[in-house]
Amino acid sequence: MQILLISVFAAMASRVGMADPFSSCPSQAFLVQDTTARLYGVNLATGYYELLSDDLGTSERVNGLAFNFHDNYLYGWDYANGTLARITSNYEVVPLPILDLPDANFYVGDIAVHQNSYFFYRPGHSFGLYKVELDRPAGTPLRAERIVDGSTLNIPVFDLAFHPTNSFAYAVSRSGALYEIDTETGGATVRGNVGVTGTFGAAYFDVDGYLYISRNSDGQIFRIDLTASAPSAEFFAYGPASNNNDGARCAMAPIIPVDNSLIDFGDAPDSFGTTLSTNGARHDLGNGQIYLGQTVDGESDAWTHPLADDTADASNDDDGVVMVSNFDVGRPAILIAESSAPAFLNAWIDWNQSGQFDPEEKVFSQLYVDTGENNLLVDVPIWAKEGSTWARFRISSTPEVGPIGGVGDGEVEDYQITVSSQGTTVTSYPAAGEWITTAFEDNWPLIGDFDMNDLVVHLRTEHIALDGTVVGLQIEGEVAAVGGDYHNGFAIRLEGIDAASIAPTALQFWINDIAQTTSPLENSSGDAVFVVMQDAWDYVTRGEGCRFYRTEAGCESDVQMSFKLRIAFLDGVPESSFPAPPFDPFLFATPGHDRSYVFTQPPGRGLEIHLPGKLPTDRFDATYLNLADDHSDPANNVFFRTDTGMPWALQIGARWSYPLEFIDVDDAYPLFEPFVSSGGQTFIDWYIDENAADRSIFPNSE
Amino acid sequence: MRLLLTIMLVALSGCGGTSTGTSDDSPTTATPSPVPEHDGAASIRPPAGFEFATSQTLPIEIEVAASEPSGLYLTVCRATDHLTSDYRRCLMKTRMDDTQLTRSIEVPNDVDRLVVALWRMQPTQRVAEHVWNRERDGLVTFRVRH
């Protein structure tokens, strides 16, 4: 018998080492299921799984799965041979010869990180907790050693996992009891109840020390923070369900590798649950079949508002949900959701602006959507709070999902929306999502080089009217270029709108999405003037090797300054007397900075440059008129014109590609001259890129 | 003084000016820009009163049959390449509580098409879509009858 056993072991041993280990410590978890073992790879962050092998070379189960950090092999209990087996990188089960094994099969096991030993367990007097040292010297047989009998250590668990650093193993029972097991002594401590019940057939760790458990009945994966004083299980992802389940992963691997780009995250502020650390909404792109709109992209973690990747780069995959109508309190709102495939849509809108999606804020639940455009209706509750808020849309093959956690397919898209009062009309200029451009020459009253890029600001506006009265206004802008050395401020006047009609407490002002505490409203009486910035150079920097900001070839940095103004009118303004957008945006000289070619003292706020047809404000110093090249004619309301009638500022009806530094607008856009000379009768689209001369413009159009 | 200013103009016409301001990180020198070799924009003579506008006003007039169930929703948006409504780039959105609506909207000169769409809430469906074509329809009142 001894000879026979040795022969069997020798045969087994000869197979060991024939195949390679896994190449690294993978982030992917492994899951073995079914009575004839099938091996799956699982992304715990999303629950996405794929079949790795349905033929492990055994006709029976494999259980007690473990990933060995020390040799990068998988191990598991081989039911066919009643022993521990090594599983190679080509998914072949290779049984190991082990002396002193108990005569039974085991379904609980893992390999420690602090030592190269496999521990396996089964309750009952005849069994217990065993250890097999796997790093025995060559020629020395492996041997099982019982640490404690299964009556002394009697815990109802179905898998255990070793912590990456503290040498304890952990397991969760059917009733939710969390066990901390000292495998050296066989002692176990109950750390408390994690708050979920069921058969947790697979347990895993990540390198940060989070414990993950997978529930057999529904496949849900829960995450447990063991550093908490009372650890609890939070839902983490929807994984595969199974009656027979065991899992393992390399405990030294992060849950998502930094180079991963196959998980889609949302981009709402993190209070909604967006990043991985807040168990944010995320979808695996491995399947690639279900998404909203035309495209979806992935990242290793979320970039949340205001640094969302969808706004920070040119790739915006939030393209699947269109808000057709306004969101008026107490009224239905129309949406279009475009799906790539038949799937389920779940969605939330933060009606109460609490910064999280509450259960009563779920607007679509398990909504089946078909391939293509789906017209949808959302009832805006009467209790919805007016103002800006966030919506989250999740599509997947999983019918019911929550606002956070991982899903194995699909996409999440977050949108910022505005809730307004009933029956509003929203008018956008030039259109929602589009820009116009205001471009200034700042040498006034001297003629400059007419490259029209000394200060360039993109603008768009949106005003909300109710029963013919404008009640609110939003102005957004971005500083596209600063192409001069002078220090210039920028402001916007609402012509004919008294500053006293502005609701001061409702006035909101953001720069680069950061709320400002200083009111931009300059006047206490007279026309309302909003000072966006005192000095553009305070907000932008030149690129390396660039003299100015975004006006030279090779200096194509991102836009560095954006702003948003939200204005409410105390008693409303009749639409008929509301000024035309973009109102009166103007440049002024930054106080305290010289413009010494003409002015013996810094002209400061008294120097303004307005668009053609606009008048100076009451803070303008009229003594500057008609200095140098200025040929204003105040008696006829003509200001800031040269002797030929050319202005120092232009408004362009698009996100304009202004001339490169020192290139005259007439050279950059050859159709400008006939447009102007004809009084705007010809070549009315002179300003589009297609009409520009080669290598003469700074590309801005989108 | 006029002579002095003229000399300065020749020497210093360029992109922006100099600053001797107090900001530490701000530019401290201003190299005069090259003077354009031709007169360029400075020599253009616009007609008196011309304000360089690059957008134009388009009046629109919507009339809905009295038999139409109440609660139609109106959008005026830029057009997609397929001449459908691009709801991400709308100029106006409003509920139609009356059978008539008249508005004026500003259309940038490079925008050749807009789409006026009418939606019914229950069931949620688009009931009409009309394309404004600058070349065909011009800037006279764009009338939609439904």
Side-chain angles (χ1 to χ4, degrees):
Chain A
M1 178 62 184
Q2 185 69 30
I3 294 172
L4 177 62
L5 189 61
I6 290 172
S7 300
V8 170
F9 283 0
M12 288 180 173
S14 70
R15 298 180 61 187
V16 176
M18 289 173 59
D20 293 331
F22 292 86
S23 59
S24 63
C25 169
S27 286
Q28 181 186 48
F30 297 93
L31 190 67
V32 64
Q33 295 186 336
D34 299 331
T35 51
T36 297
R38 294 154 65 94
L39 187 69
Y40 296 86
V42 183
N43 186 335
L44 291 186
T46 60
Y48 173 75
Y49 63 100
E50 57 184 343
L51 180 67
L52 299 177
S53 175
D54 59 359
D55 181 10
L56 300 179
T58 177
S59 60
E60 295 200 37
R61 299 180 187 190
V62 172
N63 222 319
L65 200 64
F67 187 91
N68 191 346
F69 170 70
H70 307 281
D71 65 12
N72 285 345
Y73 280 104
L74 272 172
Y75 288 80
W77 193 271
D78 172 13
Y79 276 52
N81 292 294
T83 186
L84 180 65
R86 177 181 286 170
I87 303 173
T88 63
S89 60
N90 59 349
Y91 311 121
E92 181 187 10
V93 168
V94 181
L96 300 177
I98 300 175
L99 300 175
D100 300 332
L101 278 178
D103 186 18
N105 281 319
F106 288 75
Y107 51 84
V108 178
D110 197 15
I111 293 172
V113 177
H114 65 286
Q115 60 174 282
N116 188 1
S117 297
Y118 181 78
F119 291 84
F120 55 104
Y121 170 75
R122 183 168 172 171
H125 174 72
S126 304
F127 311 112
L129 177 67
Y130 296 81
K131 168 184 174 182
V132 176
E133 293 181 5
L134 296 172
D135 53 356
R136 303 286 289 164
T140 306
L142 300 180
R143 187 179 298 275
E145 171 195 358
R146 187 159 79 168
I147 305 296
V148 66
D149 75 70
S151 297
T152 305
L153 180 64
N154 187 6
I155 54 176
V157 299
F158 300 89
D159 195 18
L160 61 79
F162 273 94
H163 191 280
T165 57
N166 74 5
S167 81
F168 290 114
Y170 292 82
V172 175
S173 74
R174 187 189 291 272
S175 63
L178 171 64
Y179 290 93
E180 184 176 79
I181 305 162
D182 182 343
T183 53
E184 293 304 309
T185 65
T189 304
V190 177
R191 287 280 309 271
N193 192 293
V194 296
V196 292
T197 59
T199 299
F200 300 102
Y204 318 86
F205 265 101
D206 71 14
V207 70
D208 297 318
Y210 285 105
L211 173 65
Y212 301 83
I213 54 174
S214 170
R215 186 158 60 192
N216 288 13
S217 59
D218 57 11
Q220 290 194 8
I221 298 165
F222 299 89
R223 182 171 70 171
I224 302 169
D225 180 4
L226 296 176
T227 63
S229 56
S232 62
E234 67 170 332
F235 166 77
F236 193 66
Y238 299 92
S242 172
N243 289 329
N244 175 47
N245 214 13
D246 203 286
R249 78 183 292 275
C250 180
M252 300 305 287
I255 204 71
I256 300 177
V258 292
D259 59 351
N260 175 80
S261 59
L262 284 176
I263 298 178
D264 175 56
F265 285 85
D267 45 28
D270 212 13
S271 64
F272 291 99
T274 304
T275 63
L276 185 64
S277 65
T278 58
N279 191 17
R282 56 200 183 273
H283 293 253
D284 204 294
L285 307 182
N287 168 296
Q289 301 297 310
I290 298 174
Y291 50 87
L292 290 162
Q294 297 294 314
T295 183
V296 59
D297 58 25
E299 52 269 322
S300 59
D301 204 346
W303 289 84
T304 59
H305 177 81
L307 301 175
D309 57 316
D310 289 330
T311 51
D313 62 28
S315 171
N316 183 358
D317 66 339
D318 285 351
D319 63 343
V321 182
V322 173
M323 320 302 168
V324 173
S325 72
N326 305 325
F327 289 84
D328 290 355
V329 171
R331 293 278 180 87
I334 305 167
L335 313 176
I336 300 173
E338 183 184 0
S339 178
S340 65
F344 294 96
L345 183 69
N346 291 270
W348 299 258
I349 298 177
D350 181 24
W351 297 123
N352 62 5
Q353 298 179 27
S354 66
Q356 57 188 25
F357 297 117
D358 303 321
E360 64 273 20
E361 293 176 326
K362 191 165 192 178
V363 295
F364 299 124
S365 183
Q366 303 186 50
L367 179 71
Y368 176 82
V369 291
D370 224 328
T371 305
E373 292 189 350
N374 296 264
N375 297 335
L376 307 174
L377 205 64
V378 169
D379 287 319
V380 183
I382 196 72
W383 49 270
K385 188 175 175 183
E386 292 178 30
S388 180
T389 191
W390 284 87
R392 170 164 290 171
F393 298 83
R394 304 189 72 178
I395 193 167
S396 75
S397 63
T398 304
E400 178 72 30
V401 302
I404 60 171
V407 181
D409 61 9
E411 185 185 4
V412 53
E413 293 192 356
D414 293 341
Y415 292 88
Q416 204 166 10
I417 65 166
T418 300
V419 176
S420 47
S421 53
Q422 284 191 13
T424 54
T425 297
V426 174
T427 305
S428 303
Y429 180 76
E434 295 287 323
W435 298 99
I436 60 110
T437 301
T438 52
F440 297 89
E441 279 286 294
D442 68 355
N443 239 13
W444 187 88
L446 292 170
I447 289 177
D449 57 6
F450 273 104
D451 58 9
M452 303 308 300
N453 66 22
D454 296 343
L455 178 65
V456 182
V457 181
H458 297 142
L459 291 172
R460 62 181 167 219
T461 72
E462 181 179 285
H463 67 264
I464 300 173
L466 185 62
D467 298 329
T469 300
V470 178
V471 294
L473 168 66
Q474 178 171 290
I475 303 173
E476 291 179 88
E478 55 183 33
V479 178
V482 179
D485 288 329
Y486 281 148
H487 289 251
N488 299 312
F490 181 75
I492 301 169
R493 173 173 60 174
L494 301 184
E495 304 146 284
I497 306 295
D498 196 290
S501 69
I502 307 295
T505 56
L507 181 58
Q508 295 174 288
F509 180 39
W510 294 265
I511 291 179
N512 294 334
D513 286 306
I514 298 170
Q516 304 295 298
T517 53
T518 304
S519 172
L521 184 60
E522 181 180 66
N523 297 26
S524 56
S525 62
D527 284 354
V529 171
F530 300 92
V531 177
V532 173
M533 56 187 179
Q534 291 285 347
D535 186 348
W537 279 118
D538 287 346
Y539 297 94
V540 300
T541 55
R542 306 159 183 78
E544 190 174 336
C546 303
R547 182 178 170 192
F548 301 117
Y549 164 70
R550 288 170 51 85
T551 65
E552 300 146 280
C555 299
E556 293 87 2
S557 65
D558 290 339
V559 167
Q560 297 172 11
M561 195 282 194
S562 64
F563 63 89
K564 181 160 60 179
L565 276 164
R566 200 168 282 159
I567 301 156
F569 301 101
L570 285 170
D571 300 313
V573 180
E575 277 191 285
S576 56
S577 58
F578 197 69
F583 315 111
D584 179 16
F586 64 93
L587 175 154
F588 62 89
T590 303
H593 287 271
D594 288 343
R595 280 168 131 87
S596 55
Y597 302 140
V598 174
F599 303 98
T600 54
Q601 297 293 322
R605 180 65 183 80
L607 187 154
E608 298 178 354
I609 302 174
H610 290 256
L611 292 165
K614 303 294 183 183
L615 310 182
T617 73
D618 56 7
R619 295 207 177 190
F620 177 73
D621 187 338
T623 65
Y624 299 157
L625 291 174
N626 291 303
L627 288 177
D629 299 317
D630 179 57
H631 283 67
S632 294
D633 180 7
N636 290 302
N637 282 339
V638 175
F639 294 89
F640 312 108
R641 298 287 188 123
T642 68
D643 60 340
T644 66
M646 291 298 290
W648 271 263
L650 290 174
Q651 177 196 325
I652 313 295
R655 197 172 194 270
W656 187 41
S657 297
Y658 43 81
L660 286 170
E661 196 62 55
F662 306 133
I663 295 181
D664 190 304
V665 62
D666 185 43
D667 293 330
Y669 288 96
L671 301 181
F672 178 68
E673 188 277 329
F675 167 76
V676 174
S677 296
S678 69
Q681 297 303 303
T682 61
F683 303 113
I684 62 173
D685 62 351
W686 63 268
Y687 53 85
I688 62 175
D689 285 11
E690 290 78 359
N691 289 332
D694 285 347
R695 295 184 293 279
S696 65
I697 57 173
F698 191 94
N700 260 298
S701 58
E702 293 174 318
Chain B
M1 181 63 180
R2 170 63 69 182
L3 175 62
L4 175 62
L5 283 173
T6 304
I7 293 169
M8 285 180 170
L9 167 62
V10 172
L12 301 171
S13 69
C15 196
T18 188
S19 170
T20 55
T22 56
S23 177
D24 290 338
D25 59 351
S26 43
T28 55
T29 59
T31 306
S33 310
V35 177
E37 292 179 356
H38 59 91
D39 290 338
S43 65
I44 301 174
R45 289 187 174 276
F50 179 54
E51 294 186 350
F52 295 78
T54 52
S55 66
Q56 295 164 312
T57 302
L58 173 66
I60 61 170
E61 191 177 291
I62 316 295
E63 189 173 328
V64 177
S67 58
E68 180 64 42
S70 63
L72 281 188
Y73 201 87
L74 170 75
T75 61
V76 181
C77 306
R78 299 273 181 99
T80 68
D81 292 341
H82 307 292
L83 294 184
T84 59
S85 187
D86 184 345
Y87 293 102
R88 293 181 183 83
R89 300 190 299 155
C90 290
L91 289 75
M92 187 177 72
K93 294 180 177 184
T94 188
R95 183 185 175 93
M96 283 201 60
D97 290 323
D98 297 321
T99 55
Q100 273 198 319
L101 185 143
T102 303
R103 280 280 192 285
S104 288
I105 52 179
E106 284 292 304
V107 186
N109 289 353
D110 61 307
V111 175
D112 292 330
R113 289 174 178 81
L114 298 174
V115 180
V116 177
L118 287 163
W119 284 76
R120 197 174 284 151
M121 294 284 188
Q122 300 284 4
T124 310
Q125 64 183 67
R126 183 172 34 220
V127 294
E129 210 168 57
H130 301 267
V131 177
W132 170 78
N133 181 318
R134 178 188 292 271
E135 190 175 356
R136 182 192 64 202
D137 302 313
L139 293 166
V140 297
T141 301
F142 184 61
R143 292 187 170 83
V144 171
R145 302 275 182 271
H146 175 72

